[in-house]
Amino acid sequence: MSRYLVRRILLAIPILLGVSLIVFLMLHTAGGDPAELKLGLHADPVSVARLRHEMGLDRPLAVQYVDFLSHAIRGDLGRSYRSNAPVTDEIAARFPATIELAIAAMLLAIVIGIGFGAVAAVRRHSFFDYSSTVGALLGVSIPTFWLGLILIIVFGLWLRWLPISGRVNPRLGADPSMPFLVVGSALHGDWPIAKDAALHLILPAITLAGWPAAIIARMTRASLIEALGRDYVRTARGKGLAERAVLVGHVARNALIPVLTVIGLEFGTLLGGAVVTETVFAWPGIGQLTITAINARDYQVVQGIVLLLATIFIGLNLLVDLLYAVLDPRIRYE
Amino acid sequence: MSDATRSPLATAAAGRESEHSRPSRRVLRQFVRNRGAVAGIVILIALCLVAVVGPRLVGDPIKQDVLARLLPPGAAHPFGTDELGRDVFVRVVNGTPISLLSGIASVAIGLALGGLVGVVAGYREGRLGLTLMAVVDLLLALPAILLAITVAARIGAGLSAAMIAAGLVGLPAYARLSRASTLEVKRREMIDAARAMGASDIRIMTRHILPNILTPLIVQSTIGVGNAILLVSALGFLGLGAQPPTPEWGRMLSDAQRFITAAPWIGIFPGLAISLTVLGFNLAGDGLRDALDPTLQQ
């Protein structure tokens, strides 16, 4: 097991290096000179050249990349072209909001996906199965941003049940440095803020959960149906086990391994999808920061965010692989 | 035919090698019996008709009528009008060919590059193959939307940037599929026969391997068009895809956001159009896969 673990972790390093190189090259060869952008259109060429030199942009790309990499390893992602603040600070200020949204959405997707998928598999060809299959199909066909707009129209504008933008009502005076508003405020006993933040979270979380819930439901259903047809299930039933014991003890354990994989992979996708959802709900996370940074050609920030998310994505893949090896011993010996 | 139950590839190949008509008729029968698949094809045919004749029938998507701004749906404007007094129905109809073509173009890019890489990597298994696949796998290390955003940032916002971005996002799937299929086809006797007759590597790859790996690629491409349309419209929504006044559905939704309180219909119809189109491709793709792959029938 430990050899497998070491090999998988070592394999992630070249992938991370390759991704960082691709992202670096793409963003550093993109149009628009950052020095020129900083000084404005009418800056004289001498000042632009001086600033380029100060920013290290006149060095060969290879040197710039190695420099960037050696700093990135130490947790320094450079400074924003726009605000001159360290990129890590800009990201750190926004990332907790994204994580809070992503975790809420993922929990929702897991509950809905596994719940619907499991009932659909056990009651195959029933009306419930049919509706949940259609629901899953709609889940992967409806664009996230449109689902968000529809929820805003129905629950925010027509019914007026839920807030439609931001994280919390600014008039409540929530502490802006608190990373996780719902849980944090609740722990501090600040119930009005916790409740308001939770209400703000509902619509964006449903929006972001739509796609992964559909994928998880499909996978749960398919995987359970396959497991239900296995010989050991017939054996378990044959020896007189109660149906509940068969489902929980024999079917679920085996069927949930692929579901777990999908959950891990979808969590990475979900962090990416947050960019779109955050735009719809004016959610102050890194998705919004990404769009602001791209429009301002602040590629240092874009690069930092993309690399952070790629690292998380690769880390999640690794975690899923390792969990897989724990749950299914056959994999370790391949 | 003993291996015919193993994969869509083997089935299709077996069909081509033995009797030509019967398996294809079986596939067609399977497809037609699948109600979802038929619904998908009906949706797609209808959308193609709208895309071809619609724009000529309904007229100019950027014609403004300042006296008719933000009108709700009614007899004169079935989907209402937007903030510039443009007819939303006319714009949605004119957006149909844009979305269909952008989805198909994205898949064409991903399929051509991914297919090329996959076939070569499968045919030359050694160092070349491994290197090619390692590069392809790097594209998988980023969430789709972020890869697309980075590509769009590199090329500069626009519809073509969005199409290239969506194409690159799909590329790894086609590369992996082509490689796996090539590995399987390569072991067949007909390849040895072709080589014995003096066929060059390129001839073997294009004339003998490619035709035999098309089936799984077609299934993947059909579903791929739907996903590409979603991604292109998401980039349009984020302001990185099609630019105004192009009546691209994602872009229309992004413009509609500001008027969501006063005129929700501007946002409802373009999104409905995207959902219907993607649903059509997903239904047709799922149906094709079930019809072509007998192992999935239960």
Side-chain angles (χ1 to χ4, degrees):
Chain A
M1 183 67 196
S2 58
R3 258 184 65 194
Y4 176 81
L5 195 107
V6 170
R7 214 182 60 200
R8 278 300 285 114
I9 291 175
L10 286 180
L11 255 161
I13 295 173
I15 296 178
L16 208 50
L17 281 177
V19 169
S20 74
L21 182 64
I22 289 183
V23 172
F24 180 89
L25 283 181
M26 280 217 272
L27 293 176
H28 282 255
T29 55
D33 182 352
E36 225 166 75
L37 277 163
K38 221 170 178 176
L39 293 174
L41 271 176
H42 304 292
D44 71 295
V46 182
S47 335
V48 172
R50 193 175 338 125
L51 187 61
R52 277 180 63 83
H53 181 72
E54 274 168 29
M55 293 167 84
L57 293 168
D58 53 352
R59 298 170 300 167
L61 266 184
V63 176
Q64 288 189 51
Y65 173 67
V66 172
D67 185 52
F68 161 74
L69 207 61
S70 68
H71 281 91
I73 291 169
R74 283 171 278 165
D76 173 12
L77 292 167
R79 281 176 181 275
S80 157
Y81 293 153
R82 185 172 39 94
S83 66
N84 211 31
V87 171
T88 35
D89 288 3
E90 293 237 338
I91 294 178
R94 305 284 202 113
F95 199 43
T98 300
I99 291 286
E100 186 175 49
L101 172 59
I103 290 179
M106 199 69 224
L107 289 177
L108 198 61
I110 291 173
V111 170
I112 297 174
I114 294 189
F116 275 72
V119 175
V122 175
R123 296 197 199 146
R124 233 176 129 194
H125 301 305
S126 67
F127 178 72
F128 184 91
D129 181 20
Y130 183 69
S131 338
S132 115
T133 305
V134 171
L137 193 64
L138 289 177
V140 294
S141 303
I142 293 176
T144 315
F145 44 94
W146 189 60
L147 179 62
L149 283 182
I150 296 296
L151 291 175
I152 286 179
I153 292 173
V154 175
F155 294 100
L157 301 176
W158 291 351
L159 300 171
R160 296 192 175 278
W161 285 354
L162 293 164
I164 57 173
S165 83
R167 255 182 117 184
V168 66
N169 187 339
R171 266 174 283 173
L172 291 174
D175 177 7
S177 66
M178 185 175 286
F180 304 106
L181 263 181
V182 176
V183 179
S185 309
L187 286 177
H188 280 89
D190 209 339
W191 293 110
I193 292 181
K195 189 186 153 206
D196 188 63
L199 289 177
H200 275 83
L201 192 55
I202 295 177
L203 292 185
I206 295 177
T207 305
L208 192 53
W211 175 282
I215 305 265
I216 294 171
R218 277 183 164 188
M219 181 52 95
T220 307
R221 180 180 179 274
S223 172
L224 272 177
I225 286 176
E226 205 209 316
L228 280 167
R230 290 289 179 84
D231 287 343
Y232 58 75
V233 173
R234 208 177 40 197
T235 310
R237 279 185 182 145
K239 68 184 187 190
L241 272 186
E243 189 62 20
R244 176 176 292 266
V246 175
L247 287 180
V248 175
H250 295 256
V251 178
R253 266 189 71 159
N254 289 290
L256 285 182
I257 296 179
V259 176
L260 194 70
T261 317
V262 167
I263 291 174
L265 296 180
E266 284 303 317
F267 192 70
T269 311
L270 191 137
L271 279 174
V275 176
V276 177
T277 308
E278 287 181 6
T279 310
V280 178
F281 290 94
W283 190 263
I286 52 167
Q288 257 200 347
L289 182 64
T290 315
I291 300 303
T292 318
I294 284 185
N295 289 332
R297 292 187 177 277
D298 191 352
Y299 294 138
Q300 289 290 91
V301 172
V302 179
Q303 174 179 270
I305 294 171
V306 173
L307 284 182
L308 172 73
L309 290 185
T311 310
I312 296 177
F313 200 48
I314 293 168
L316 280 170
N317 281 340
L318 187 63
L319 195 70
V320 166
D321 274 2
L322 297 180
L323 266 177
Y324 220 114
V326 171
L327 291 172
D328 189 346
R330 283 170 302 182
I331 292 167
R332 284 174 242 159
Y333 298 108
E334 265 176 24
Chain B
M1 292 279 284
S2 65
D3 64 349
T5 47
R6 248 183 252 149
S7 74
L9 181 69
T11 327
R16 210 166 286 113
E17 277 157 15
S18 58
E19 303 135 74
H20 202 278
S21 65
R22 245 193 270 161
S24 61
R25 220 184 292 156
R26 184 193 57 76
V27 166
L28 188 67
R29 204 168 47 228
Q30 279 292 342
F31 189 83
V32 171
R33 241 195 277 162
N34 182 337
R35 263 179 293 169
V38 173
I41 288 293
V42 170
I43 292 174
L44 292 184
I45 291 174
L47 283 169
C48 286
L49 279 176
V50 171
V52 174
V53 299
R56 258 169 271 178
L57 290 180
V58 297
D60 188 2
I62 52 174
K63 200 183 93 188
Q64 302 178 8
D65 180 355
V66 281
L67 294 175
R69 280 184 298 203
L70 299 178
L71 288 182
H77 305 285
F79 291 177
T81 60
D82 69 7
E83 75 279 11
L84 297 172
R86 297 175 297 195
D87 186 296
V88 177
F89 175 71
V90 173
R91 286 179 68 72
V92 169
V93 168
N94 276 279
T96 314
I98 297 176
S99 276
L100 287 180
L101 288 178
S102 66
I104 292 168
S106 306
V107 167
I109 293 169
L111 184 62
L113 293 175
L116 178 70
V117 169
V119 170
V120 173
Y123 192 72
R124 286 277 173 82
E125 270 177 87
R127 194 174 293 167
L128 177 67
L130 288 177
T131 314
L132 282 174
M133 291 318 283
V135 174
V136 165
D137 279 351
L138 286 182
L139 292 178
L140 284 175
L142 278 174
I145 187 88
L146 272 183
L147 177 59
I149 286 177
T150 316
V151 174
R154 168 68 187 85
I155 308 176
L159 190 58
S160 47
M163 289 192 277
I164 294 172
L168 285 178
V169 165
L171 190 151
Y174 302 109
R176 289 185 152 196
L177 203 55
S178 327
R179 178 172 174 273
S181 311
T182 303
L183 286 175
E184 195 183 326
V185 173
K186 196 173 79 169
R187 314 250 181 271
R188 298 217 190 122
E189 276 173 26
M190 59 170 202
I191 302 296
D192 294 333
R195 196 172 290 130
M197 286 168 70
S200 66
D201 283 350
I202 290 180
R203 191 183 162 84
I204 292 177
M205 280 190 258
T206 52
R207 293 290 177 84
H208 300 281
I209 292 181
L210 199 59
N212 281 297
I213 66 168
L214 279 180
T215 311
L217 286 178
I218 290 171
V219 173
Q220 179 71 30
S221 309
T222 312
I223 298 173
V225 176
N227 287 334
I229 289 175
L230 277 181
L231 204 51
V232 168
S233 65
L235 287 173
F237 180 78
L238 293 174
L240 298 169
Q243 297 298 311
T246 315
E248 194 269 326
W249 294 336
R251 181 74 215 192
M252 288 170 71
L253 276 168
S254 140
D255 296 336
Q257 257 189 305
R258 282 175 293 148
F259 301 95
I260 198 84
T261 17
W265 54 87
I266 321 179
I268 290 178
F269 294 105
L272 210 54
I274 302 175
S275 307
L276 191 68
T277 312
V278 178
L279 186 69
F281 280 104
N282 280 339
L283 282 169
D286 285 351
L288 263 182
R289 187 190 50 213
D290 293 348
L292 289 169
D293 189 348
T295 56
L296 291 173
Q297 287 154 23
Q298 284 155 348

